[in-house]
Amino acid sequence: ELPRTDVGTGITTAMAMVIADEMDVPVENVEVPMSDARPELLFNMLTGGSCTLRALIPPVRALAAVARGQ
C-alpha cells in the first residue's frame, strides 16, 4: 500500500512504473493501492510541494527487487 494519497499528482502511476520497471513486467500488471488516511498524523499527510517521489522511489524500487528475486 502506498502510504500517501494521490490527489491528481500521479504518484500511483509513477510508483506502478517504478515497480514494473524493476520487476520487468508490463505496467498494466501492477496495482498500487493507497493506504487509508490517518487523521492522527495531522499535517504529515499534506500534498503541497510533494516530495513523495523522492522519498518513496528508493524503498519501492528495493522492495520490487526483493520481490523479483523471490
Side-chain angles (χ1 to χ4, degrees):
E1 290 184 344
L2 191 62
R4 301 284 191 278
T5 300
D6 192 337
V7 291
T9 55
I11 60 175
T12 53
T13 301
M15 291 298 118
M17 292 170 71
V18 168
I19 294 166
D21 180 55
E22 187 63 40
M23 296 187 74
D24 198 25
V25 299
V27 71
E28 297 82 23
N29 293 353
V30 178
E31 183 179 327
V32 180
M34 292 181 283
S35 297
D36 291 334
R38 294 180 52 201
E40 71 273 13
L41 294 179
L42 297 175
F43 296 108
N44 193 31
M45 296 189 70
L46 293 175
T47 60
S50 180
C51 64
T52 297
L53 295 181
R54 276 190 310 247
L56 293 181
I57 284 177
V60 167
R61 186 171 294 281
L63 288 170
V66 169
R68 183 190 66 225
Q70 293 181 355

